[in-house]
Coordinates of all heavy atoms in Angstrom, one line a residue:
H9 N 54.4 140.6 162.6 CA 55.3 140.6 161.4 C 56.3 139.5 161.6 O 56.7 139.2 162.7 CB 56.0 142.0 161.4 CG 56.7 142.3 160.1 ND1 57.9 141.6 159.8 CD2 56.5 143.1 159.1 CE1 58.4 142.1 158.7 NE2 57.5 143.0 158.2
I10 N 56.6 138.8 160.5 CA 57.6 137.8 160.5 C 58.6 138.0 159.3 O 58.1 138.2 158.2 CB 57.0 136.4 160.4 CG1 56.1 136.1 161.6 CG2 58.1 135.3 160.3 CD1 55.3 134.8 161.5
S11 N 59.9 138.1 159.6 CA 60.9 138.1 158.5 C 61.6 136.8 158.5 O 62.1 136.3 159.5 CB 61.9 139.2 158.8 OG 61.3 140.5 158.9
S12 N 61.6 136.2 157.3 CA 62.3 134.9 157.1 C 63.4 135.0 156.0 O 63.1 135.3 154.9 CB 61.3 133.8 156.7 OG 62.0 132.6 156.5
Y13 N 64.6 134.9 156.4 CA 65.7 135.0 155.5 C 66.4 133.7 155.3 O 66.7 132.9 156.3 CB 66.7 136.0 156.1 CG 66.2 137.4 156.2 CD1 65.7 137.9 157.4 CD2 66.1 138.3 155.1 CE1 65.1 139.1 157.6 CE2 65.5 139.5 155.2 CZ 65.1 140.0 156.5 OH 64.5 141.2 156.6
S14 N 66.8 133.4 154.1 CA 67.6 132.2 153.8 C 69.1 132.5 154.1 O 69.5 133.6 153.6 CB 67.4 131.8 152.4 OG 68.2 130.6 152.1
L15 N 69.7 131.7 154.8 CA 71.1 132.0 155.2 C 72.0 132.1 153.9 O 72.0 131.2 153.1 CB 71.7 130.8 156.1 CG 73.2 130.9 156.4 CD1 73.5 132.1 157.3 CD2 73.6 129.6 157.1
I16 N 72.8 133.1 153.9 CA 73.8 133.3 152.8 C 75.1 133.3 153.5 O 75.3 134.1 154.4 CB 73.5 134.6 152.0 CG1 72.2 134.6 151.3 CG2 74.6 134.8 151.0 CD1 71.8 135.9 150.6
V17 N 76.0 132.4 153.1 CA 77.3 132.3 153.7 C 78.2 133.4 153.0 O 78.5 133.3 151.8 CB 77.9 130.9 153.5 CG1 79.4 130.9 154.1 CG2 77.1 129.9 154.2
E18 N 78.5 134.4 153.8 CA 79.3 135.6 153.3 C 80.8 135.4 153.6 O 81.2 134.9 154.6 CB 78.8 136.9 153.9 CG 77.3 137.1 153.7 CD 77.0 137.6 152.3 OE1 77.9 137.7 151.5 OE2 75.8 138.0 152.1
E19 N 81.6 135.9 152.6 CA 83.0 135.9 152.9 C 83.4 136.7 154.1 O 82.7 137.7 154.4 CB 83.8 136.5 151.7 CG 83.8 135.6 150.4 CD 84.7 136.1 149.4 OE1 85.8 136.5 149.7 OE2 84.3 136.1 148.2
G20 N 84.4 136.3 154.8 CA 84.8 137.0 156.0 C 84.1 136.6 157.3 O 84.4 137.1 158.4
T21 N 83.2 135.6 157.2 CA 82.5 135.1 158.4 C 83.1 133.7 158.7 O 83.7 133.0 157.9 CB 81.0 134.9 158.1 OG1 80.8 134.0 157.1 CG2 80.4 136.3 157.7
P22 N 83.0 133.3 160.0 CA 83.4 131.9 160.4 C 82.8 130.8 159.5 O 83.4 129.8 159.2 CB 83.0 131.8 161.8 CG 83.1 133.2 162.3 CD 82.6 134.1 161.2
F23 N 81.5 131.0 159.1 CA 80.8 130.0 158.3 C 81.5 129.9 156.9 O 81.6 128.8 156.4 CB 79.4 130.4 158.1 CG 78.4 129.8 159.1 CD1 78.9 129.0 160.1 CD2 77.1 130.1 159.0 CE1 78.0 128.5 161.1 CE2 76.2 129.5 160.0 CZ 76.7 128.7 161.0
Y24 N 82.1 131.0 156.4 CA 82.7 130.9 155.1 C 84.0 130.0 155.2 O 84.3 129.3 154.3 CB 83.1 132.3 154.6 CG 83.5 132.3 153.1 CD1 82.6 132.2 152.1 CD2 84.9 132.3 152.8 CE1 82.9 132.2 150.8 CE2 85.2 132.3 151.5 CZ 84.3 132.2 150.5 OH 84.7 132.1 149.1
E25 N 84.7 130.1 156.3 CA 85.9 129.3 156.5 C 85.5 127.8 156.6 O 86.3 127.0 156.2 CB 86.6 129.7 157.8 CG 87.1 131.1 157.8 CD 87.7 131.5 159.1 OE1 88.0 130.6 159.9 OE2 88.0 132.7 159.3
I26 N 84.3 127.5 157.0 CA 83.8 126.1 157.1 C 83.3 125.6 155.8 O 83.6 124.6 155.3 CB 82.8 126.0 158.2 CG1 83.4 126.4 159.6 CG2 82.3 124.6 158.3 CD1 82.3 126.5 160.7
Y27 N 82.4 126.4 155.2 CA 81.6 126.0 154.0 C 82.1 126.6 152.7 O 81.8 126.0 151.6 CB 80.1 126.3 154.2 CG 79.5 125.7 155.5 CD1 79.3 126.5 156.6 CD2 79.2 124.4 155.5 CE1 78.8 126.0 157.8 CE2 78.7 123.8 156.7 CZ 78.5 124.6 157.8 OH 78.0 124.1 159.0
G28 N 82.8 127.7 152.7 CA 83.2 128.3 151.5 C 82.0 128.6 150.6 O 81.1 129.2 151.1
D29 N 82.1 128.3 149.3 CA 81.0 128.6 148.4 C 80.0 127.5 148.3 O 79.1 127.6 147.5 CB 81.6 128.9 147.0 CG 82.5 130.1 147.0 OD1 82.1 131.1 147.6 OD2 83.6 130.1 146.3
I30 N 80.1 126.5 149.1 CA 79.2 125.4 149.1 C 78.1 125.6 150.2 O 78.4 125.6 151.4 CB 79.9 124.0 149.4 CG1 81.0 123.8 148.3 CG2 78.9 122.9 149.3 CD1 81.8 122.6 148.6
P31 N 76.8 125.8 149.8 CA 75.8 126.1 150.8 C 75.7 124.9 151.8 O 75.8 123.7 151.4 CB 74.5 126.2 149.9 CG 75.0 126.6 148.6 CD 76.3 125.8 148.4
P32 N 75.4 125.2 153.0 CA 75.3 124.1 154.0 C 74.1 123.2 153.9 O 74.0 122.2 154.4 CB 75.3 124.9 155.4 CG 74.9 126.2 155.0 CD 75.4 126.5 153.7
V33 N 73.1 123.8 153.2 CA 71.9 123.0 152.9 C 71.7 122.9 151.4 O 71.9 123.9 150.7 CB 70.6 123.7 153.5 CG1 69.3 123.0 153.1 CG2 70.7 123.6 155.0
D34 N 71.3 121.7 150.9 CA 71.3 121.5 149.4 C 70.2 122.4 148.8 O 69.2 122.8 149.5 CB 71.0 120.0 149.1 CG 69.7 119.5 149.6 OD1 68.7 119.7 148.8 OD2 69.6 119.0 150.7
E35 N 70.3 122.7 147.6 CA 69.4 123.6 146.9 C 68.0 123.2 146.9 O 67.1 124.0 147.1 CB 69.9 123.7 145.4 CG 69.2 124.8 144.6 CD 69.7 125.0 143.2 OE1 70.9 124.6 143.0 OE2 69.0 125.6 142.4
E36 N 67.7 121.9 146.7 CA 66.3 121.4 146.7 C 65.6 121.7 148.1 O 64.5 122.1 148.2 CB 66.3 120.0 146.3 CG 64.9 119.3 146.4 CD 63.9 119.9 145.4 OE1 64.4 120.7 144.5 OE2 62.7 119.7 145.5
T37 N 66.4 121.3 149.2 CA 65.8 121.5 150.5 C 65.6 123.0 150.8 O 64.6 123.4 151.4 CB 66.8 120.9 151.6 OG1 66.9 119.5 151.3 CG2 66.2 121.1 153.0
D38 N 66.5 123.8 150.4 CA 66.4 125.3 150.5 C 65.2 125.8 149.8 O 64.4 126.6 150.3 CB 67.7 125.9 150.0 CG 67.7 127.4 150.3 OD1 66.9 127.9 151.1 OD2 68.6 128.1 149.8
R39 N 64.9 125.3 148.6 CA 63.8 125.7 147.8 C 62.5 125.3 148.5 O 61.5 126.1 148.5 CB 63.9 125.1 146.4 CG 62.8 125.6 145.4 CD 63.0 125.0 144.1 NE 62.8 123.5 144.1 CZ 61.6 122.9 144.1 NH1 60.5 123.6 144.1 NH2 61.5 121.6 144.1
L40 N 62.4 124.1 149.0 CA 61.2 123.6 149.7 C 60.9 124.4 151.0 O 59.8 124.7 151.3 CB 61.4 122.1 150.0 CG 61.4 121.2 148.8 CD1 61.7 119.7 149.3 CD2 60.0 121.2 148.1
M41 N 62.0 124.8 151.7 CA 61.8 125.6 152.9 C 61.2 127.0 152.5 O 60.3 127.5 153.1 CB 63.2 125.8 153.6 CG 63.7 124.6 154.3 SD 65.4 125.0 155.0 CE 65.8 123.4 155.7
Y42 N 61.7 127.5 151.4 CA 61.3 128.8 150.8 C 59.8 128.7 150.5 O 59.0 129.6 150.9 CB 62.1 129.1 149.6 CG 62.0 130.5 149.0 CD1 62.6 131.5 149.7 CD2 61.4 130.8 147.8 CE1 62.6 132.8 149.3 CE2 61.4 132.1 147.3 CZ 62.0 133.1 148.1 OH 62.0 134.4 147.6
Q43 N 59.4 127.6 149.9 CA 58.0 127.4 149.6 C 57.1 127.2 150.8 O 56.0 127.7 150.9 CB 57.8 126.2 148.6 CG 58.4 126.5 147.3 CD 58.4 125.2 146.4 OE1 58.0 124.1 146.8 NE2 58.8 125.4 145.1
D44 N 57.7 126.5 151.8 CA 56.9 126.3 153.1 C 56.7 127.6 153.8 O 55.6 127.8 154.4 CB 57.7 125.4 154.0 CG 57.7 123.9 153.6 OD1 56.8 123.5 152.8 OD2 58.5 123.1 154.0
T45 N 57.6 128.5 153.7 CA 57.5 129.8 154.4 C 56.2 130.5 153.9 O 55.4 130.9 154.7 CB 58.7 130.7 154.1 OG1 59.9 130.1 154.5 CG2 58.6 132.0 154.9
E46 N 56.1 130.6 152.6 CA 54.9 131.3 152.1 C 53.6 130.6 152.4 O 52.6 131.1 152.8 CB 55.0 131.5 150.6 CG 53.8 132.3 150.0 CD 54.0 132.6 148.5 OE1 54.7 131.9 147.8 OE2 53.4 133.6 148.1
A47 N 53.6 129.2 152.2 CA 52.4 128.4 152.4 C 51.9 128.5 153.9 O 50.8 128.7 154.1 CB 52.7 127.0 152.0
F48 N 52.9 128.3 154.8 CA 52.5 128.3 156.2 C 52.0 129.7 156.7 O 51.0 129.8 157.4 CB 53.7 127.9 157.1 CG 53.9 126.4 157.2 CD1 54.1 125.6 156.1 CD2 53.8 125.8 158.4 CE1 54.2 124.2 156.2 CE2 54.0 124.4 158.5 CZ 54.2 123.6 157.4
L49 N 52.7 130.7 156.3 CA 52.4 132.0 156.7 C 51.1 132.6 156.1 O 50.3 133.3 156.7 CB 53.5 133.0 156.5 CG 54.8 132.7 157.3 CD1 55.9 133.8 157.1 CD2 54.5 132.5 158.8
K50 N 50.9 132.2 154.8 CA 49.7 132.6 154.1 C 48.5 132.0 154.8 O 47.4 132.7 155.0 CB 49.7 132.2 152.7 CG 48.5 132.7 151.8 CD 48.7 132.3 150.4 CE 47.5 132.8 149.6 NZ 47.6 132.4 148.1
K51 N 48.6 130.7 155.1 CA 47.5 130.0 155.8 C 47.2 130.7 157.1 O 46.0 130.7 157.6 CB 47.8 128.6 155.9 CG 46.7 127.7 156.5 CD 47.1 126.2 156.6 CE 45.9 125.4 157.1 NZ 46.3 124.0 157.2
A52 N 48.2 131.2 157.8 CA 48.0 131.8 159.1 C 47.6 133.2 159.1 O 47.5 133.9 160.1 CB 49.4 131.6 159.9

């Protein structure tokens, strides 16, 4: 079994103090990673 979660920067965490509401990875890269997850795991 493999669980793959996209990082969500939540209020009250150290990451939120650094990044605030701006995701640390741009939306397009995040979307491509999301697609890679399904493609790689389906093939496997």
Side-chain angles (χ1 to χ4, degrees):
H9 190 287
I10 298 172
S11 298
S12 177
Y13 298 97
S14 178
L15 173 67
I16 298 174
V17 178
E18 302 283 4
E19 287 190 46
T21 64
F23 268 1
Y24 191 80
E25 295 178 15
I26 300 170
Y27 302 104
D29 294 320
I30 302 173
V33 171
D34 67 88
E35 187 176 343
E36 177 64 12
T37 302
D38 189 9
R39 185 179 65 82
L40 291 172
M41 290 177 181
Y42 195 69
Q43 293 173 353
D44 284 342
T45 306
E46 182 176 27
F48 277 58
L49 296 184
K50 183 178 181 180
K51 186 177 180 181

